[in-house]
Amino acid sequence: MQPKVLYKPHSREEVILGPEAKVDQVILGLETSCDETAAAIVLNGRKVLADVVSSQIEDHKIYGGVVPEVAARKHLESINLVINEALSQAKMNIDQITAVACTVGPGLVGALLVGVSAAKAIAFAKNIPFIGINHLKAHVCANYIETDLEPPFICLLVSGGHTQIIYVKNYREQEIIGQTRDDAAGEAYDKVARLIDFPYPGGPNLDKAALNGNIKAYELPFAKVDDFDFSFSGMKTAVLRLIQKEKVLLNKQDLAASFQEIMTEMLLQKTLQASNQFNINKIVLAGGVAANSGLRAKFLNLPDKYTVLVPPLKFCTDNAAMVASAGYFVDGCYDLDTEVFSRV
Ligand code: KG4
Ligand code: ZN
C-alpha cells in the first residue's frame, strides 16, 4: 500500500504519516462531535501521552438528553482548556506536534465546528497537517491504543447513533458489512431507559440496574433480520406494551436485565455470523455501548478459538485518543477547506 502523504499547509513540505513513516509521530487529537470536549496526544497511533475529556453530562441532565446548542456553547468554553491540559499532561509544547486530527462528522454540526475550527487554526498557525477524521473510524481505532492489534479483524461498532459490523481489512480499509436498519443499539438503550424511567444518561444507568435483575423475567422480541443487519426499533414498542400491560407488577431491574440480555444476544449472534462467514476469529468491540457490562461479558467469554479485544471503558465512549490514533492509521480529509457533516 502507498504511504499516506500529507503536506504542511504553508511550506507544502511532505509529511508521511502512519506505520510506513520512519520517524516518531505525535498527533494531537480533538473530539467535539456530541457532549464530550476532548483532547489527547498519541505517539505513533498507540501510545497515549495525554488524554483529557471534559464531559457535559451535568449540563444536559436537566433536559433528559443532549441539547445541541448547549453542547456547542460548552465546547467553546472548554476547547482551549482541554488542549492546554493535554499539552501539560504530555509535558510538551505545541511545536512538538506532528499533525492535528479532529472529528469532522458524523455528529452535531454546531458542536463539530468548535473542534474543527480549533484544529484548523492550530494546523494553519503551526504549519502542520490537518486531518479530518470520521468519528466511526476513530471508534474502531480505539482498539489500537496501548495494544499490538493488527488487521484483519471483525469489529462490532455500537454507539449512540450507529450500529455496524465492520470488516477491517487493513489499517486503512474498513468495510461496513452490516448495520442497523432503524435505531442504533445506543439509541434503543436510551429510549428504553427513558421508558423505564432511568435518568440520563440512559444506557449506563440501565446497565447498572440490569446487574441485579433476572434476565428471564420478561419476554422481549428477538428481531430476525437478513444478512449482517440489525433492527432495534421494535424493542421500545415491546417494552412500552409491557409497561402498559403490567404497570403494577413491573420490576425495573428485571426489565432492564431482560432487555440487556436480548440486546446483547442479538449483537453477539450477528457478529459471530460475520466472523464465521469471513473466516476471521479476531473480533473487537467499539463505541459507547461497548462499555456495557453484559455485552463485554458475552464477548469475553467466547470460546478460545476467538481472539476478542474490548477497549477499556474510557476508550469506548467518546474520547480524543481514538481520534489521534485514527489520524495515524486511517485515511482522512486533509484539506483546510474540509467541512463538517452531521450524517454518513
Ligand atoms: O460512542 P458514544 O460515546 O457516542 C456516540 O458516538 O454516539 O456512545 C454513546 C452511547 C449512548 O447511547 C449511551 O447510552 C451508550 O453509548 N452507552 C451505554 C453504556 N455506556 C454508554 N449503553 C449501554 N451500557 C453502557 N454501559
Ligand atoms: Zn462516539
Side-chain angles (χ1 to χ4, degrees):
M1 185 166 283
Q2 292 292 316
K4 235 165 65 176
V5 181
L6 278 74
Y7 295 92
K8 297 189 178 184
H10 303 306
S11 58
R12 305 303 294 166
E13 279 167 84
E14 266 188 10
V15 179
I16 295 177
L17 267 196
E20 292 87 6
K22 303 260 177 323
V23 291
D24 277 349
Q25 292 171 329
V26 181
I27 300 187
L28 168 66
L30 301 182
E31 160 62 45
T32 63
S33 68
C34 190
D35 56 349
E36 259 96 32
T37 321
I41 298 173
V42 176
L43 172 69
N44 298 335
R46 297 199 192 254
K47 186 164 176 33
V48 178
L49 306 178
D51 176 34
V52 183
V53 180
S54 165
S55 169
Q56 301 179 357
I57 286 182
E58 289 308 316
D59 302 297
H60 300 288
K61 216 176 208 162
I62 48 166
Y63 306 109
V66 179
V67 181
E69 180 63 23
V70 173
R73 285 166 192 261
K74 288 285 157 189
H75 286 311
L76 211 47
E77 283 172 20
S78 310
I79 190 74
N80 287 342
L81 297 172
V82 297
I83 294 171
N84 286 333
E85 176 62 24
L87 288 167
S88 119
Q89 256 185 30
K91 300 190 175 52
M92 286 187 153
N93 69 54
I94 196 90
D95 296 313
Q96 292 169 280
I97 301 294
T98 314
V100 51
C102 182
T103 302
V104 290
L108 305 170
V109 165
L112 287 163
L113 276 172
V114 177
V116 172
S117 306
K120 287 180 180 173
I122 293 169
F124 190 76
K126 291 292 159 188
N127 192 31
I128 55 174
F130 163 82
I131 313 166
I133 289 292
N134 179 311
H135 183 75
L136 304 175
K137 290 189 174 176
H139 269 303
V140 177
C141 292
N143 285 283
Y144 297 131
I145 299 172
E146 311 287 355
T147 71
D148 51 13
L149 173 73
E150 286 177 16
F153 55 84
I154 297 286
C155 176
L156 170 67
L157 164 61
V158 270
S159 74
H162 299 83
T163 302
Q164 299 176 339
I165 297 183
I166 303 161
Y167 167 32
V168 180
K169 295 182 187 171
N170 54 52
Y171 287 115
R172 287 160 66 187
E173 285 178 275
Q174 300 185 5
E175 187 191 338
I176 299 162
I177 56 171
Q179 56 194 318
T180 181
R181 297 192 178 174
D182 38 58
D183 289 354
E187 201 176 346
Y189 261 92
D190 296 336
K191 285 178 176 169
V192 167
R194 200 186 273 244
L195 286 175
I196 314 181
D197 217 14
F198 290 122
Y200 167 86
N205 282 320
L206 193 154
D207 185 13
K208 242 183 264 163
L211 289 176
N212 303 313
N214 171 8
I215 58 170
K216 296 206 171 111
Y218 298 101
E219 203 172 317
L220 291 164
F222 188 106
K224 292 205 170 66
V225 189
D226 290 343
D227 307 321
F228 304 122
D229 285 352
F230 302 94
S231 167
F232 298 118
S233 63
M235 290 303 285
K236 59 175 189 295
T237 321
V239 171
L240 183 63
R241 289 228 180 88
L242 210 58
I243 291 171
Q244 285 166 341
K245 198 172 90 197
E246 301 209 16
K247 230 175 224 159
V248 198
L249 301 172
L250 192 105
N251 177 311
K252 278 183 166 192
Q253 291 176 338
D254 284 351
L255 185 50
S258 304
F259 168 77
Q260 178 132 307
E261 173 61 17
I262 197 100
M263 283 295 294
T264 52
E265 201 50 39
M266 286 192 277
L267 293 166
L268 175 75
Q269 301 222 346
K270 278 284 164 156
T271 312
L272 291 184
Q273 202 179 308
S275 149
N276 294 341
Q277 193 151 322
F278 281 74
N279 203 15
I280 296 176
N281 288 342
K282 212 189 272 183
I283 299 176
V284 312
L285 299 186
V289 184
N292 183 268
S293 63
L295 191 68
R296 296 169 82 86
K298 277 212 160 117
F299 276 88
L300 291 171
N301 286 328
L302 280 172
D304 286 347
K305 76 164 184 167
Y306 296 101
T307 306
V308 177
L309 203 69
V310 180
L313 297 188
K314 64 175 178 177
F315 296 138
C316 290
T317 46
D318 289 349
N319 66 88
M322 67 183 194
V323 179
S325 177
Y328 184 83
F329 285 113
V330 304
D331 292 329
C333 309
Y334 307 126
D335 202 317
L336 278 181
D337 287 341
T338 300
E339 295 192 12
V340 300
F341 61 94
S342 61
R343 294 179 156 268
V344 245

